[in-house]
């Protein structure tokens, strides 16, 4: 059974997932997006599967001003951490990051005694506004060999996708400062000196 859902006119992107024929709709786990200012929930679905397995699909989107080049890995790591906390796992095993058809994907595995979960992230940028779209599926089961592996691998983002946005000047500056702390401090010092000089130059001078 193939699920395909459009994520809204703002994103012009759809997400698809292959579910077992016996999948039953369930109540999704609430997602707290307070850790990602500007992000909005686009989709939250959950299913109960055979053998006590459970799958959840969450998609969020954010404006391009929240993006900066090089954030892909950080966003995927953050999404894996959120999935781990929601499912109550202690160990995370991230897979390789790959890119194809303007979509960045990464599989991951969560492990705990007596149960484990398989999941997948799909990150894309919806044209023409290059809205940031991230979908994550996580499937929990007691033992391997259940429905989780093929389900997680079936996650696909499609639609009007393009290259990542450049992000706002402020976002790019903050990211650059985080990765280049000493030059950033030097630039801040230079800017402070320039501002101080401008203030002194504009200050009224006493008449002789």
């Amino acid at each position: 059974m193939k699920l395909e859902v459009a994520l809204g006119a703002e994103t012009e992107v759809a997400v698809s997932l292959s579910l077992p024929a016996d999948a039953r709709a369930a109540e999704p786990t609430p997602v707290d997006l307070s850790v990602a200012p500007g992000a909005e929930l686009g989709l939250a679905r959950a299913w109960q599967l055979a053998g006590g397995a459970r799958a959840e699909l969450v998609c969020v989107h954010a404006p391009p001003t929240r993006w900066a080049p090089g954030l892909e890995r950080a966003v995927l790591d953050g999404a894996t951490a959120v999935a781990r906390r929601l499912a109550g796992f202690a160990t995370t095993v991230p897979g390789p990051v790959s890119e194809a058809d303007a979509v960045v994907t990464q599989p991951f595995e969560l492990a705990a005694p007596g149960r484990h979960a398989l999941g997948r992230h799909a990150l894309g940028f919806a044209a023409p506004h290059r809205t940031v779209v991230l979908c994550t599926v996580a499937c929990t089961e007691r033992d391997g060999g259940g429905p989780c592996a093929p389900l997680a691998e079936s996650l696909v983002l499609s639609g009007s996708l393009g290259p990542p946005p450049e992000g706002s000047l402020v976002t790019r500056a903050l990211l650059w400062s985080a990765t280049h702390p000493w030059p950033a401090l030097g630039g801040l010092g230079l800017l402070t000196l320039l501002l101080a000089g401008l203030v002194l130059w504009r200050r009224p001078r006493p008449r002789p």
Side-chain angles (χ1 to χ4, degrees), residues 83-186:
R84 177 178 57 80
R85 288 196 300 270
L86 288 177
F89 285 88
T91 304
T92 304
V93 183
V97 177
S98 59
E99 182 175 357
D101 300 325
V103 178
V104 180
T105 59
Q106 183 188 37
F108 62 89
E109 183 176 353
L110 308 175
R115 65 192 183 108
H116 76 285
L118 296 173
R120 185 177 181 87
H121 304 301
L123 173 66
F125 307 94
H129 305 298
R130 292 194 262 184
T131 301
V132 184
V133 180
L134 172 66
C135 289
T136 296
V137 63
C139 182
T140 306
E141 57 190 8
R142 294 192 185 95
D143 301 304
C148 286
L151 188 151
E153 292 173 2
S154 71
L155 179 68
V156 174
L157 273 184
S158 61
S160 182
L161 296 163
E166 296 179 357
S168 67
L169 180 61
V170 173
T171 305
R172 283 181 284 160
L174 290 174
L175 181 64
W176 187 88
S177 298
T179 54
H180 302 79
W182 291 113
L185 288 174

Side-chain angles (χ1 to χ4, degrees), residues 2 7 18 31-32 36 57-58 73 122 127 144 151 155 181 187 198 200 208:
K2 184 174 183 179
L7 298 180
S18 294
V31 179
D32 181 12
L57 171 65
V58 174
R73 173 71 71 169
L151 188 151
L155 179 68
L198 180 61
L200 291 175

